Short mmCIF file of all heavy atoms in Angstrom, two decimals:
data_model
loop_
_atom_site.label_atom_id
_atom_site.label_comp_id
_atom_site.label_asym_id
_atom_site.label_seq_id
_atom_site.Cartn_x
_atom_site.Cartn_y
_atom_site.Cartn_z
N MET I 8 0.73 -1.24 -0.05
CA MET I 8 0.06 -0.02 -0.04
C MET I 8 0.80 1.29 0.08
O MET I 8 0.27 2.40 0.09
CB MET I 8 -0.99 0.00 1.19
CG MET I 8 -2.04 -0.96 1.21
SD MET I 8 -3.19 -0.78 2.48
CE MET I 8 -2.26 -1.37 3.92
N ALA I 9 2.11 1.18 -0.11
CA ALA I 9 3.08 2.25 0.01
C ALA I 9 2.77 3.29 -0.99
O ALA I 9 2.74 4.60 -0.71
CB ALA I 9 4.49 1.83 -0.03
N ASP I 10 2.48 2.95 -2.21
CA ASP I 10 2.25 3.97 -3.22
C ASP I 10 0.86 4.63 -3.12
O ASP I 10 0.69 5.69 -3.46
CB ASP I 10 2.27 3.17 -4.70
CG ASP I 10 3.72 2.53 -4.84
OD1 ASP I 10 4.73 3.25 -4.93
OD2 ASP I 10 3.75 1.30 -4.98
N MET I 11 -0.16 3.86 -2.71
CA MET I 11 -1.42 4.36 -2.38
C MET I 11 -1.22 5.54 -1.25
O MET I 11 -1.92 6.46 -1.38
CB MET I 11 -2.34 3.33 -1.83
CG MET I 11 -2.71 2.27 -2.87
SD MET I 11 -3.41 0.77 -2.17
CE MET I 11 -4.79 1.41 -1.14
N ALA I 12 -0.42 5.19 -0.29
CA ALA I 12 -0.19 6.15 0.80
C ALA I 12 0.53 7.37 0.20
O ALA I 12 0.15 8.52 0.73
CB ALA I 12 0.60 5.48 1.90
N VAL I 13 1.44 7.33 -0.69
CA VAL I 13 2.06 8.46 -1.17
C VAL I 13 0.99 9.30 -1.99
O VAL I 13 1.07 10.60 -1.82
CB VAL I 13 3.12 8.10 -2.21
CG1 VAL I 13 3.75 9.32 -3.03
CG2 VAL I 13 4.31 7.33 -1.48
N ALA I 14 0.17 8.69 -2.66
CA ALA I 14 -0.91 9.56 -3.39
C ALA I 14 -1.89 10.22 -2.42
O ALA I 14 -2.01 11.45 -2.61
CB ALA I 14 -1.75 8.53 -4.17
N LEU I 15 -2.22 9.50 -1.28
CA LEU I 15 -3.21 10.18 -0.39
C LEU I 15 -2.46 11.17 0.54
O LEU I 15 -2.82 12.31 0.65
CB LEU I 15 -3.89 9.08 0.40
CG LEU I 15 -4.88 9.66 1.51
CD1 LEU I 15 -5.92 10.56 0.98
CD2 LEU I 15 -5.54 8.55 2.29
N TRP I 16 -1.59 10.61 1.27
CA TRP I 16 -0.86 11.48 2.29
C TRP I 16 0.07 12.50 1.71
O TRP I 16 0.30 13.62 2.28
CB TRP I 16 -0.09 10.58 3.26
CG TRP I 16 -0.76 10.00 4.24
CD1 TRP I 16 -1.74 9.01 4.14
CD2 TRP I 16 -0.79 10.17 5.67
NE1 TRP I 16 -2.32 8.61 5.33
CE2 TRP I 16 -1.74 9.30 6.30
CE3 TRP I 16 0.01 10.95 6.47
CZ2 TRP I 16 -1.94 9.25 7.66
CZ3 TRP I 16 -0.17 10.91 7.87
CH2 TRP I 16 -1.08 10.15 8.46
N GLY I 17 0.64 12.23 0.56
CA GLY I 17 1.58 13.21 -0.13
C GLY I 17 0.90 14.24 -0.90
O GLY I 17 1.47 15.33 -1.21
N ARG I 18 -0.40 13.99 -1.29
CA ARG I 18 -1.06 14.97 -2.15
C ARG I 18 -2.44 15.45 -1.86
O ARG I 18 -2.93 16.38 -2.44
CB ARG I 18 -1.09 14.28 -3.71
CG ARG I 18 0.27 14.00 -4.21
CD ARG I 18 0.14 13.41 -5.60
NE ARG I 18 1.43 13.15 -6.23
CZ ARG I 18 1.56 12.65 -7.44
NH1 ARG I 18 0.61 12.23 -8.15
NH2 ARG I 18 2.93 12.49 -7.82
N HIS I 19 -3.07 14.81 -0.96
CA HIS I 19 -4.48 15.16 -0.66
C HIS I 19 -4.73 15.39 0.84
O HIS I 19 -5.59 16.18 1.15
CB HIS I 19 -5.37 14.01 -1.10
CG HIS I 19 -5.41 13.95 -2.64
ND1 HIS I 19 -6.24 14.73 -3.41
CD2 HIS I 19 -4.67 13.16 -3.56
CE1 HIS I 19 -6.06 14.45 -4.66
NE2 HIS I 19 -5.11 13.48 -4.73
N LEU I 20 -4.22 14.59 1.74
CA LEU I 20 -4.70 14.62 3.20
C LEU I 20 -4.37 16.00 3.81
O LEU I 20 -3.26 16.44 3.74
CB LEU I 20 -3.92 13.50 3.99
CG LEU I 20 -4.59 13.15 5.31
CD1 LEU I 20 -5.91 12.36 5.09
CD2 LEU I 20 -3.56 12.34 6.13
N ARG I 21 -5.42 16.58 4.34
CA ARG I 21 -5.34 17.83 5.03
C ARG I 21 -5.10 17.57 6.47
O ARG I 21 -6.12 17.13 7.21
CB ARG I 21 -6.62 18.62 4.74
CG ARG I 21 -6.80 19.00 3.25
CD ARG I 21 -8.18 19.66 2.99
NE ARG I 21 -8.35 20.93 3.60
CZ ARG I 21 -9.07 21.17 4.79
NH1 ARG I 21 -9.62 20.10 5.36
NH2 ARG I 21 -9.26 22.38 5.29
N HIS I 22 -3.94 17.87 7.04
CA HIS I 22 -3.67 17.44 8.39
C HIS I 22 -2.47 18.37 8.78
O HIS I 22 -1.90 18.91 8.03
CB HIS I 22 -3.31 16.03 8.57
CG HIS I 22 -2.14 15.52 7.84
ND1 HIS I 22 -1.05 14.98 8.48
CD2 HIS I 22 -1.77 15.53 6.54
CE1 HIS I 22 -0.16 14.71 7.55
NE2 HIS I 22 -0.57 15.02 6.40
N HIS I 23 -2.17 18.33 10.08
CA HIS I 23 -1.05 19.07 10.56
C HIS I 23 -0.39 18.26 11.67
O HIS I 23 -0.88 18.05 12.83
CB HIS I 23 -1.61 20.48 11.15
CG HIS I 23 -0.46 21.35 11.53
ND1 HIS I 23 0.90 21.10 11.34
CD2 HIS I 23 -0.43 22.68 12.14
CE1 HIS I 23 1.67 22.04 11.70
NE2 HIS I 23 0.85 23.02 12.13
N PRO I 24 0.87 17.76 11.47
CA PRO I 24 1.56 16.99 12.45
C PRO I 24 1.65 17.58 13.81
O PRO I 24 1.68 16.92 14.75
CB PRO I 24 2.91 16.59 11.80
CG PRO I 24 2.56 16.80 10.27
CD PRO I 24 1.62 17.89 10.14
N ALA I 25 1.76 18.93 13.80
CA ALA I 25 1.95 19.59 15.10
C ALA I 25 0.63 19.76 15.81
O ALA I 25 0.71 20.23 17.05
CB ALA I 25 2.65 20.96 14.84
N GLN I 26 -0.50 19.60 15.16
CA GLN I 26 -1.76 19.77 15.77
C GLN I 26 -2.68 18.59 15.32
O GLN I 26 -3.52 18.72 14.59
CB GLN I 26 -2.40 21.11 15.44
CG GLN I 26 -1.72 22.25 15.98
CD GLN I 26 -2.43 23.51 15.75
OE1 GLN I 26 -3.77 23.65 15.91
NE2 GLN I 26 -1.75 24.65 15.40
N PRO I 27 -2.37 17.35 15.94
CA PRO I 27 -3.13 16.16 15.45
C PRO I 27 -4.61 16.27 15.73
O PRO I 27 -5.36 15.49 15.06
CB PRO I 27 -2.49 15.06 16.36
CG PRO I 27 -1.17 15.58 16.82
CD PRO I 27 -1.36 17.08 16.92
N LEU I 28 -5.09 17.16 16.59
CA LEU I 28 -6.49 17.15 16.87
C LEU I 28 -7.23 18.43 16.29
O LEU I 28 -8.30 18.89 16.78
CB LEU I 28 -6.70 17.16 18.40
CG LEU I 28 -6.23 15.93 19.14
CD1 LEU I 28 -6.49 15.96 20.65
CD2 LEU I 28 -6.83 14.68 18.56
N TRP I 29 -6.53 19.12 15.37
CA TRP I 29 -7.15 20.17 14.66
C TRP I 29 -8.56 19.85 14.16
O TRP I 29 -8.67 18.81 13.52
CB TRP I 29 -6.27 20.62 13.56
CG TRP I 29 -6.89 21.59 12.56
CD1 TRP I 29 -7.57 22.79 12.88
CD2 TRP I 29 -6.91 21.56 11.12
NE1 TRP I 29 -8.01 23.31 11.70
CE2 TRP I 29 -7.62 22.60 10.66
CE3 TRP I 29 -6.33 20.58 10.28
CZ2 TRP I 29 -7.83 22.79 9.28
CZ3 TRP I 29 -6.49 20.80 8.89
CH2 TRP I 29 -7.20 21.91 8.42
N ALA I 30 -9.60 20.61 14.44
CA ALA I 30 -10.86 20.24 14.27
C ALA I 30 -11.28 19.90 12.87
O ALA I 30 -12.03 18.94 12.70
CB ALA I 30 -11.84 21.39 14.82
N ASP I 31 -10.79 20.62 11.86
CA ASP I 31 -11.30 20.29 10.53
C ASP I 31 -10.20 19.58 9.69
O ASP I 31 -10.19 19.65 8.43
CB ASP I 31 -11.55 21.58 9.74
CG ASP I 31 -12.56 21.43 8.68
OD1 ASP I 31 -13.44 20.60 8.79
OD2 ASP I 31 -12.46 22.20 7.61
N ARG I 32 -9.42 18.80 10.31
CA ARG I 32 -8.53 17.87 9.70
C ARG I 32 -9.24 16.75 8.93
O ARG I 32 -10.35 16.38 9.34
CB ARG I 32 -7.49 17.25 10.63
CG ARG I 32 -8.19 16.24 11.55
CD ARG I 32 -7.28 15.75 12.73
NE ARG I 32 -7.93 14.81 13.56
CZ ARG I 32 -8.80 15.16 14.52
NH1 ARG I 32 -9.10 16.43 14.70
NH2 ARG I 32 -9.29 14.10 15.30
N ASP I 33 -8.71 16.29 7.82
CA ASP I 33 -9.23 15.12 7.29
C ASP I 33 -8.97 13.90 8.23
O ASP I 33 -7.96 13.89 8.95
CB ASP I 33 -8.53 14.75 5.88
CG ASP I 33 -8.88 15.70 4.86
OD1 ASP I 33 -10.06 16.25 4.94
OD2 ASP I 33 -8.24 15.77 3.77
N ARG I 34 -9.79 12.99 8.25
CA ARG I 34 -9.56 11.74 9.17
C ARG I 34 -9.08 10.61 8.21
O ARG I 34 -9.61 10.40 7.10
CB ARG I 34 -10.93 11.30 9.74
CG ARG I 34 -11.18 11.96 11.06
CD ARG I 34 -11.32 13.40 11.10
NE ARG I 34 -11.75 13.99 12.38
CZ ARG I 34 -11.91 15.29 12.58
NH1 ARG I 34 -11.57 16.20 11.67
NH2 ARG I 34 -12.39 15.71 13.77
N PHE I 35 -8.09 9.90 8.73
CA PHE I 35 -7.57 8.75 8.01
C PHE I 35 -7.65 7.56 9.01
O PHE I 35 -7.21 7.60 10.14
CB PHE I 35 -6.12 8.90 7.68
CG PHE I 35 -5.51 7.65 7.05
CD1 PHE I 35 -5.83 7.29 5.77
CD2 PHE I 35 -4.59 6.95 7.81
CE1 PHE I 35 -5.25 6.12 5.27
CE2 PHE I 35 -4.13 5.68 7.35
CZ PHE I 35 -4.36 5.34 6.06
N VAL I 36 -8.25 6.43 8.50
CA VAL I 36 -8.44 5.14 9.20
C VAL I 36 -7.75 4.04 8.44
O VAL I 36 -8.09 3.83 7.32
CB VAL I 36 -9.90 4.93 9.44
CG1 VAL I 36 -10.10 3.54 10.17
CG2 VAL I 36 -10.64 6.07 10.27
N LEU I 37 -6.84 3.33 9.08
CA LEU I 37 -6.28 2.17 8.59
C LEU I 37 -7.12 0.94 8.98
O LEU I 37 -6.91 0.43 10.09
CB LEU I 37 -4.87 2.00 8.98
CG LEU I 37 -4.05 0.78 8.36
CD1 LEU I 37 -3.90 1.02 6.86
CD2 LEU I 37 -2.72 0.69 9.05
N SER I 38 -8.15 0.61 8.23
CA SER I 38 -9.07 -0.48 8.71
C SER I 38 -8.38 -1.80 8.78
O SER I 38 -8.60 -2.53 9.75
CB SER I 38 -10.24 -0.54 7.72
OG SER I 38 -11.32 -1.38 8.23
N ASN I 39 -7.48 -2.05 7.86
CA ASN I 39 -6.74 -3.27 8.00
C ASN I 39 -5.43 -3.06 8.92
O ASN I 39 -4.33 -2.88 8.52
CB ASN I 39 -6.17 -3.83 6.58
CG ASN I 39 -5.75 -2.65 5.57
OD1 ASN I 39 -5.88 -1.46 5.90
ND2 ASN I 39 -5.10 -3.02 4.48
N GLY I 40 -5.83 -2.99 10.20
CA GLY I 40 -4.89 -2.46 11.17
C GLY I 40 -3.73 -3.30 11.39
O GLY I 40 -2.73 -2.77 11.94
N HIS I 41 -3.66 -4.59 10.97
CA HIS I 41 -2.47 -5.31 11.11
C HIS I 41 -1.35 -4.70 10.33
O HIS I 41 -0.17 -4.99 10.55
CB HIS I 41 -2.76 -6.74 10.59
CG HIS I 41 -3.28 -6.87 9.22
ND1 HIS I 41 -4.53 -6.75 8.87
CD2 HIS I 41 -2.60 -6.98 8.02
CE1 HIS I 41 -4.69 -6.93 7.53
NE2 HIS I 41 -3.47 -7.01 7.00
N ALA I 42 -1.65 -3.86 9.29
CA ALA I 42 -0.63 -3.17 8.50
C ALA I 42 -0.15 -1.85 9.18
O ALA I 42 0.16 -0.92 8.56
CB ALA I 42 -1.21 -2.79 7.11
N SER I 43 -0.06 -1.96 10.50
CA SER I 43 0.14 -0.76 11.30
C SER I 43 1.49 0.03 11.03
O SER I 43 1.60 1.22 11.11
CB SER I 43 0.09 -1.19 12.74
OG SER I 43 1.12 -2.15 13.13
N MET I 44 2.53 -0.79 10.47
CA MET I 44 3.63 -0.08 10.18
C MET I 44 3.50 0.94 8.95
O MET I 44 4.30 1.79 8.84
CB MET I 44 4.82 -1.07 9.86
CG MET I 44 5.65 -1.43 11.08
SD MET I 44 6.36 -0.01 11.94
CE MET I 44 7.25 0.90 10.75
N LEU I 45 2.44 0.72 8.26
CA LEU I 45 2.17 1.80 7.22
C LEU I 45 1.83 3.18 7.91
O LEU I 45 2.45 4.16 7.56
CB LEU I 45 0.90 1.36 6.35
CG LEU I 45 0.52 2.40 5.34
CD1 LEU I 45 1.48 2.42 4.13
CD2 LEU I 45 -0.91 2.15 4.88
N ILE I 46 0.91 3.09 8.75
CA ILE I 46 0.55 4.36 9.47
C ILE I 46 1.65 4.89 10.40
O ILE I 46 1.89 6.16 10.36
CB ILE I 46 -0.83 4.28 10.17
CG1 ILE I 46 -1.35 5.68 10.56
CG2 ILE I 46 -0.71 3.42 11.39
CD1 ILE I 46 -2.83 5.70 11.04
N TYR I 47 2.36 4.06 11.05
CA TYR I 47 3.52 4.52 11.94
C TYR I 47 4.55 5.27 11.03
O TYR I 47 5.10 6.21 11.38
CB TYR I 47 4.10 3.36 12.70
CG TYR I 47 3.09 2.77 13.68
CD1 TYR I 47 3.25 1.41 14.03
CD2 TYR I 47 2.08 3.51 14.27
CE1 TYR I 47 2.41 0.85 14.98
CE2 TYR I 47 1.16 2.93 15.21
CZ TYR I 47 1.39 1.65 15.50
OH TYR I 47 0.55 0.96 16.44
#
């Protein structure tokens, strides 16, 4: 899923690493959570 992640997180996801709880951030859910090293 690495290339999928580049497309989403590198070009579309509206978020702020310094403010993880910013109210109007996009939400991202890794439903196949066993792949946790992707989100980490």
